[in-house]
Amino acid sequence: MKRIQFIVLLLLLTNSIWCQTPYGAPEVNPVTLQKNFQDWFKYQTTKIMLSTDFIGLDAKGKTISKDQFFQKLNSGSFIPIRLVPTDKIVYKLYKIAPKSDSSIKATIMQLAFDEYEHFKMEGKPFPKFDFTDLNGNVVSNETMKGKYIIIKCWYIHCAACIEEFPAVNALAAKYKERSDILFLSLAEDTPAQLTSFLSKKPLFYAVVPNMKTYMNQALHLNGFPTHFILDKEGKMLKIVSDYESLNTALESLLQD
């Protein structure tokens, strides 16, 4: 009987430790979530949006800067879990369980690395450009001043890039009446390749070909797709890696 009481007390204490924060409880059990990689990966891809403006808490529940939050995630010792209920986006760090699948550590470290690099670029001018799209229109830093620029970086053989075409097309259609917003895409492929491909899978963005060198050397991209949101002065407001994060950022930044 004493053993059973001890186990119950231990479970209650553990539950209390990972539930108590000034903001609320975690929306999922951090320990249970780590028992299966597929469960973690689904949670990471659908619930973790580190490009958004969020409040970060360390493992003890103390508020830390976004910069510190990313550095701790990059250490490979933690996973982020969103807290509820709250009217703000709050992520708390939880220790990676010793026996969890090593892929959990790998995926969160890759996500944290990419998002941290994006975060450090926010507020900086977009690298100098002078492009000509498939329709012969010249697009440059100077000609685009006074407009918000939404830039999608992609290439033909990127499955994730193509999969989000319907969603980003709907997004472009949603803001088509806004004369101060331009949707632009940079593609690695040649004009001939793009013309053939886009005839079957249209993209409602202006498309600039032969951008592989620029994206590698000027933008230092590590993954595709990557989306940039530039303000009217050409500074990078947000850099995100998927449509969901892009849509969330635009709803916040481009309100009428």
Side-chain angles (χ1 to χ4, degrees):
M1 179 64 69
K2 289 183 178 180
R3 181 183 176 123
I4 294 175
Q5 290 176 335
F6 173 76
I7 293 174
V8 171
L9 179 61
L10 182 62
L11 289 173
L12 289 174
L13 179 60
T14 301
N15 185 69
S16 175
I17 290 173
W18 65 257
C19 279
Q20 290 180 355
T21 76
Y23 294 95
E27 62 183 3
V28 293
N29 185 318
V31 177
T32 303
L33 185 63
Q34 296 181 64
K35 290 183 177 180
N36 182 284
F37 173 70
Q38 294 303 323
D39 290 342
W40 163 255
F41 189 70
K42 181 179 179 181
Y43 180 78
Q44 177 182 307
T45 54
T46 59
K47 297 291 187 176
I48 304 299
M49 298 175 63
L50 299 179
S51 60
T52 59
D53 294 323
F54 64 84
I55 296 171
L57 307 180
D58 67 12
K60 296 181 179 180
K62 177 183 176 182
T63 303
I64 56 177
S65 69
K66 198 170 183 179
D67 189 278
Q68 292 172 316
F69 191 87
F70 279 124
Q71 290 188 46
K72 287 183 178 295
L73 273 185
N74 275 316
S75 73
S77 299
F78 303 96
I79 56 171
I81 302 293
R82 185 167 177 174
L83 304 185
V84 293
T86 177
D87 58 348
K88 303 177 183 296
I89 298 176
V90 182
Y91 291 115
K92 183 177 182 294
L93 296 174
Y94 290 87
K95 276 281 189 179
I96 292 180
K99 294 184 179 180
S100 66
D101 191 313
S102 60
S103 297
I104 293 177
K105 176 179 178 179
T107 57
I108 193 59
M109 285 185 70
Q110 183 62 57
L111 175 65
F113 176 82
D114 291 341
E115 295 294 356
Y116 189 35
E117 292 301 304
H118 294 165
F119 171 68
K120 290 187 292 185
M121 296 170 71
E122 291 179 9
K124 296 181 179 179
F126 192 75
K128 185 176 181 179
F129 63 92
D130 190 352
F131 309 141
T132 301
D133 68 20
L134 288 177
N135 294 321
N137 300 309
V138 176
V139 185
S140 70
N141 302 75
E142 292 302 317
T143 61
M144 291 300 100
K145 276 191 175 180
K147 295 179 181 290
Y148 289 107
I149 314 297
I150 318 310
I151 301 176
K152 171 183 168 72
C153 298
W154 66 288
Y155 60 95
I156 286 174
H157 296 295
C158 168
C161 301
I162 309 309
E163 184 179 354
E164 67 176 16
F165 267 29
V168 296
N169 282 342
L171 197 64
K174 176 181 177 180
Y175 291 103
K176 67 179 181 180
E177 301 302 324
R178 291 280 299 264
S179 59
D180 61 336
I181 300 175
L182 175 68
F183 288 85
L184 178 71
S185 77
L186 309 183
E188 291 188 353
D189 315 278
T190 67
Q193 291 170 325
L194 288 165
T195 299
S196 175
F197 181 83
L198 293 171
S199 67
K200 302 172 185 176
K201 293 184 178 293
L203 177 63
F204 299 168
Y205 283 46
V207 180
V208 181
N210 297 324
M211 287 289 101
K212 184 174 183 177
T213 299
Y214 179 86
M215 289 191 286
N216 286 342
Q217 296 183 0
L219 301 180
H220 308 291
L221 294 188
N222 295 307
F224 294 87
T226 297
H227 304 268
F228 293 81
I229 303 176
L230 312 186
D231 68 11
K232 294 184 177 183
E233 296 300 317
K235 293 182 179 179
M236 294 177 278
L237 291 174
K238 284 291 180 184
I239 303 96
V240 302
S241 56
D242 56 73
Y243 162 76
E244 288 77 13
S245 299
L246 174 65
N247 186 44
T248 299
L250 286 177
E251 286 182 348
S252 173
L253 295 169
L254 302 181
Q255 294 177 355
D256 291 328

